[in-house]
Amino acid sequence: MKICVFLSAADLSATYTRPAREFAELIGKAGHTLVWGGSNTGLMRVVADGVHGSGGRLMGVSVRFLADKVRPGVDDMVIAENLGERKRLLLEKADAVVIMVGGTGTLDEATEILELKKHGQTAMPLVLLNTAGFYDGLKEQFRRMEDEGFLPRPLSELVFFAEEPAKAMAYLEETVGEG
């Protein structure tokens, strides 16, 4: 399975790096491929190290203005011209998407895939990995959107919320299969 992970490139505390590394090792041990922003910094590096160190493949999609931060020695690396093209390529290469902790860029990527799912443009499974309750407020906002009629489909059809990496991987393997 090719799993796209949207996440921060910031250097973060063990609160966030431990679960990210755990999920990355699950990807690698299962022989899956990480599809990610291609950065060799911060949490992106933690995840790439975990996948690579446990036997998984790395497929990066960076963007021209961040080309100096790409990870060397990956299995496949593409440099997009702009952020819009980068998102499109990341999603095209993936069988599933996991949203980890991040800032505005991660939130932008999350809403992109949610919009595609909402309009039936993709059936790709989406998991929001809610490490340390990071996305509790967003989860509450999504529920309010659903309750007040802003979503044309049930929230449960759009995104799966997982509190732990093992639950995220179990959901993906159930939904996509192990191929």
Side-chain angles (χ1 to χ4, degrees), residues 77-93:
M77 178 66 72
V78 176
I79 306 294
E81 288 301 316
N82 57 55
L83 291 171
E85 181 185 10
R86 179 191 200 188
K87 280 190 295 189
R88 181 183 59 76
L89 289 168
L90 283 162
L91 293 174
E92 279 178 9
K93 293 176 179 296

PDB file of all heavy atoms in Angstrom, residues 77-93:
ATOM      1  N   MET A  77      11.730  10.381  -6.020  1.00  0.00           N
ATOM      2  CA  MET A  77      11.539  11.774  -5.614  1.00  0.00           C
ATOM      3  C   MET A  77      11.109  12.591  -6.822  1.00  0.00           C
ATOM      4  O   MET A  77      11.711  12.493  -7.892  1.00  0.00           O
ATOM      5  CB  MET A  77      12.827  12.371  -5.037  1.00  0.00           C
ATOM      6  CG  MET A  77      12.728  13.832  -4.637  1.00  0.00           C
ATOM      7  SD  MET A  77      11.608  14.193  -3.259  1.00  0.00           S
ATOM      8  CE  MET A  77      12.538  13.530  -1.897  1.00  0.00           C
ATOM      9  N   VAL A  78      10.068  13.380  -6.634  1.00  0.00           N
ATOM     10  CA  VAL A  78       9.572  14.276  -7.666  1.00  0.00           C
ATOM     11  C   VAL A  78       9.609  15.687  -7.090  1.00  0.00           C
ATOM     12  O   VAL A  78       9.268  15.888  -5.926  1.00  0.00           O
ATOM     13  CB  VAL A  78       8.118  13.907  -8.068  1.00  0.00           C
ATOM     14  CG1 VAL A  78       7.559  14.897  -9.069  1.00  0.00           C
ATOM     15  CG2 VAL A  78       8.047  12.497  -8.604  1.00  0.00           C
ATOM     16  N   ILE A  79      10.009  16.644  -7.908  1.00  0.00           N
ATOM     17  CA  ILE A  79       9.988  18.051  -7.494  1.00  0.00           C
ATOM     18  C   ILE A  79       8.894  18.756  -8.284  1.00  0.00           C
ATOM     19  O   ILE A  79       8.980  18.882  -9.508  1.00  0.00           O
ATOM     20  CB  ILE A  79      11.354  18.750  -7.745  1.00  0.00           C
ATOM     21  CG1 ILE A  79      12.504  17.984  -7.092  1.00  0.00           C
ATOM     22  CG2 ILE A  79      11.304  20.203  -7.276  1.00  0.00           C
ATOM     23  CD1 ILE A  79      12.475  17.942  -5.587  1.00  0.00           C
ATOM     24  N   ALA A  80       7.859  19.198  -7.585  1.00  0.00           N
ATOM     25  CA  ALA A  80       6.749  19.917  -8.206  1.00  0.00           C
ATOM     26  C   ALA A  80       7.096  21.394  -8.339  1.00  0.00           C
ATOM     27  O   ALA A  80       7.945  21.911  -7.609  1.00  0.00           O
ATOM     28  CB  ALA A  80       5.491  19.737  -7.365  1.00  0.00           C
ATOM     29  N   GLU A  81       6.414  22.057  -9.238  1.00  0.00           N
ATOM     30  CA  GLU A  81       6.653  23.487  -9.454  1.00  0.00           C
ATOM     31  C   GLU A  81       6.034  24.355  -8.363  1.00  0.00           C
ATOM     32  O   GLU A  81       6.563  25.409  -8.034  1.00  0.00           O
ATOM     33  CB  GLU A  81       6.108  23.923 -10.818  1.00  0.00           C
ATOM     34  CG  GLU A  81       6.929  23.407 -11.976  1.00  0.00           C
ATOM     35  CD  GLU A  81       8.387  23.873 -11.936  1.00  0.00           C
ATOM     36  OE1 GLU A  81       8.640  25.076 -11.657  1.00  0.00           O
ATOM     37  OE2 GLU A  81       9.269  23.026 -12.163  1.00  0.00           O
ATOM     38  N   ASN A  82       4.880  23.914  -7.800  1.00  0.00           N
ATOM     39  CA  ASN A  82       4.186  24.725  -6.802  1.00  0.00           C
ATOM     40  C   ASN A  82       3.429  23.815  -5.848  1.00  0.00           C
ATOM     41  O   ASN A  82       3.350  22.599  -6.052  1.00  0.00           O
ATOM     42  CB  ASN A  82       3.261  25.742  -7.479  1.00  0.00           C
ATOM     43  CG  ASN A  82       2.266  25.067  -8.392  1.00  0.00           C
ATOM     44  OD1 ASN A  82       1.520  24.175  -7.969  1.00  0.00           O
ATOM     45  ND2 ASN A  82       2.248  25.473  -9.660  1.00  0.00           N
ATOM     46  N   LEU A  83       2.865  24.401  -4.803  1.00  0.00           N
ATOM     47  CA  LEU A  83       2.186  23.616  -3.768  1.00  0.00           C
ATOM     48  C   LEU A  83       0.940  22.902  -4.284  1.00  0.00           C
ATOM     49  O   LEU A  83       0.649  21.786  -3.866  1.00  0.00           O
ATOM     50  CB  LEU A  83       1.837  24.505  -2.571  1.00  0.00           C
ATOM     51  CG  LEU A  83       3.039  24.992  -1.758  1.00  0.00           C
ATOM     52  CD1 LEU A  83       2.599  26.049  -0.739  1.00  0.00           C
ATOM     53  CD2 LEU A  83       3.737  23.844  -1.070  1.00  0.00           C
ATOM     54  N   GLY A  84       0.213  23.526  -5.190  1.00  0.00           N
ATOM     55  CA  GLY A  84      -0.968  22.890  -5.755  1.00  0.00           C
ATOM     56  C   GLY A  84      -0.605  21.622  -6.523  1.00  0.00           C
ATOM     57  O   GLY A  84      -1.254  20.578  -6.365  1.00  0.00           O
ATOM     58  N   GLU A  85       0.436  21.709  -7.338  1.00  0.00           N
ATOM     59  CA  GLU A  85       0.890  20.535  -8.081  1.00  0.00           C
ATOM     60  C   GLU A  85       1.406  19.466  -7.116  1.00  0.00           C
ATOM     61  O   GLU A  85       1.177  18.270  -7.312  1.00  0.00           O
ATOM     62  CB  GLU A  85       1.998  20.927  -9.065  1.00  0.00           C
ATOM     63  CG  GLU A  85       2.510  19.756  -9.883  1.00  0.00           C
ATOM     64  CD  GLU A  85       3.703  20.101 -10.779  1.00  0.00           C
ATOM     65  OE1 GLU A  85       4.278  21.199 -10.648  1.00  0.00           O
ATOM     66  OE2 GLU A  85       4.052  19.233 -11.601  1.00  0.00           O
ATOM     67  N   ARG A  86       2.081  19.888  -6.060  1.00  0.00           N
ATOM     68  CA  ARG A  86       2.603  18.939  -5.076  1.00  0.00           C
ATOM     69  C   ARG A  86       1.465  18.136  -4.436  1.00  0.00           C
ATOM     70  O   ARG A  86       1.532  16.919  -4.343  1.00  0.00           O
ATOM     71  CB  ARG A  86       3.377  19.693  -3.995  1.00  0.00           C
ATOM     72  CG  ARG A  86       3.947  18.803  -2.906  1.00  0.00           C
ATOM     73  CD  ARG A  86       4.438  19.672  -1.779  1.00  0.00           C
ATOM     74  NE  ARG A  86       5.389  19.000  -0.920  1.00  0.00           N
ATOM     75  CZ  ARG A  86       5.823  19.518   0.198  1.00  0.00           C
ATOM     76  NH1 ARG A  86       5.439  20.714   0.588  1.00  0.00           N
ATOM     77  NH2 ARG A  86       6.686  18.859   0.944  1.00  0.00           N
ATOM     78  N   LYS A  87       0.406  18.837  -4.002  1.00  0.00           N
ATOM     79  CA  LYS A  87      -0.736  18.135  -3.399  1.00  0.00           C
ATOM     80  C   LYS A  87      -1.346  17.143  -4.385  1.00  0.00           C
ATOM     81  O   LYS A  87      -1.653  16.015  -4.027  1.00  0.00           O
ATOM     82  CB  LYS A  87      -1.817  19.125  -2.953  1.00  0.00           C
ATOM     83  CG  LYS A  87      -1.550  19.795  -1.647  1.00  0.00           C
ATOM     84  CD  LYS A  87      -2.749  20.563  -1.150  1.00  0.00           C
ATOM     85  CE  LYS A  87      -3.098  21.710  -2.056  1.00  0.00           C
ATOM     86  NZ  LYS A  87      -4.123  22.607  -1.506  1.00  0.00           N
ATOM     87  N   ARG A  88      -1.518  17.584  -5.622  1.00  0.00           N
ATOM     88  CA  ARG A  88      -2.107  16.717  -6.639  1.00  0.00           C
ATOM     89  C   ARG A  88      -1.269  15.464  -6.837  1.00  0.00           C
ATOM     90  O   ARG A  88      -1.787  14.346  -6.870  1.00  0.00           O
ATOM     91  CB  ARG A  88      -2.247  17.474  -7.966  1.00  0.00           C
ATOM     92  CG  ARG A  88      -2.873  16.647  -9.087  1.00  0.00           C
ATOM     93  CD  ARG A  88      -2.928  17.414 -10.401  1.00  0.00           C
ATOM     94  NE  ARG A  88      -1.645  17.862 -10.891  1.00  0.00           N
ATOM     95  CZ  ARG A  88      -0.732  17.075 -11.480  1.00  0.00           C
ATOM     96  NH1 ARG A  88      -0.964  15.793 -11.640  1.00  0.00           N
ATOM     97  NH2 ARG A  88       0.411  17.581 -11.914  1.00  0.00           N
ATOM     98  N   LEU A  89       0.046  15.633  -6.940  1.00  0.00           N
ATOM     99  CA  LEU A  89       0.934  14.489  -7.143  1.00  0.00           C
ATOM    100  C   LEU A  89       0.940  13.553  -5.931  1.00  0.00           C
ATOM    101  O   LEU A  89       0.934  12.329  -6.082  1.00  0.00           O
ATOM    102  CB  LEU A  89       2.352  14.964  -7.449  1.00  0.00           C
ATOM    103  CG  LEU A  89       2.548  15.605  -8.824  1.00  0.00           C
ATOM    104  CD1 LEU A  89       3.902  16.303  -8.905  1.00  0.00           C
ATOM    105  CD2 LEU A  89       2.387  14.569  -9.929  1.00  0.00           C
ATOM    106  N   LEU A  90       0.973  14.110  -4.745  1.00  0.00           N
ATOM    107  CA  LEU A  90       0.949  13.290  -3.536  1.00  0.00           C
ATOM    108  C   LEU A  90      -0.303  12.410  -3.518  1.00  0.00           C
ATOM    109  O   LEU A  90      -0.221  11.210  -3.254  1.00  0.00           O
ATOM    110  CB  LEU A  90       0.999  14.166  -2.281  1.00  0.00           C
ATOM    111  CG  LEU A  90       2.365  14.738  -1.925  1.00  0.00           C
ATOM    112  CD1 LEU A  90       2.223  15.917  -0.964  1.00  0.00           C
ATOM    113  CD2 LEU A  90       3.274  13.676  -1.340  1.00  0.00           C
ATOM    114  N   LEU A  91      -1.437  13.000  -3.820  1.00  0.00           N
ATOM    115  CA  LEU A  91      -2.686  12.246  -3.793  1.00  0.00           C
ATOM    116  C   LEU A  91      -2.763  11.231  -4.932  1.00  0.00           C
ATOM    117  O   LEU A  91      -3.277  10.132  -4.753  1.00  0.00           O
ATOM    118  CB  LEU A  91      -3.883  13.195  -3.809  1.00  0.00           C
ATOM    119  CG  LEU A  91      -4.035  14.057  -2.560  1.00  0.00           C
ATOM    120  CD1 LEU A  91      -5.160  15.062  -2.730  1.00  0.00           C
ATOM    121  CD2 LEU A  91      -4.244  13.201  -1.316  1.00  0.00           C
ATOM    122  N   GLU A  92      -2.235  11.577  -6.096  1.00  0.00           N
ATOM    123  CA  GLU A  92      -2.237  10.648  -7.233  1.00  0.00           C
ATOM    124  C   GLU A  92      -1.420   9.398  -6.945  1.00  0.00           C
ATOM    125  O   GLU A  92      -1.743   8.318  -7.421  1.00  0.00           O
ATOM    126  CB  GLU A  92      -1.668  11.320  -8.483  1.00  0.00           C
ATOM    127  CG  GLU A  92      -2.637  12.186  -9.218  1.00  0.00           C
ATOM    128  CD  GLU A  92      -2.008  12.862 -10.428  1.00  0.00           C
ATOM    129  OE1 GLU A  92      -0.862  12.530 -10.807  1.00  0.00           O
ATOM    130  OE2 GLU A  92      -2.685  13.739 -11.005  1.00  0.00           O
ATOM    131  N   LYS A  93      -0.350   9.547  -6.188  1.00  0.00           N
ATOM    132  CA  LYS A  93       0.564   8.434  -5.927  1.00  0.00           C
ATOM    133  C   LYS A  93       0.106   7.538  -4.781  1.00  0.00           C
ATOM    134  O   LYS A  93       0.678   6.491  -4.553  1.00  0.00           O
ATOM    135  CB  LYS A  93       1.966   8.974  -5.639  1.00  0.00           C
ATOM    136  CG  LYS A  93       2.614   9.622  -6.849  1.00  0.00           C
ATOM    137  CD  LYS A  93       3.957  10.238  -6.513  1.00  0.00           C
ATOM    138  CE  LYS A  93       4.616  10.854  -7.718  1.00  0.00           C
ATOM    139  NZ  LYS A  93       4.959   9.906  -8.764  1.00  0.00           N
TER     140      LYS A  93
END
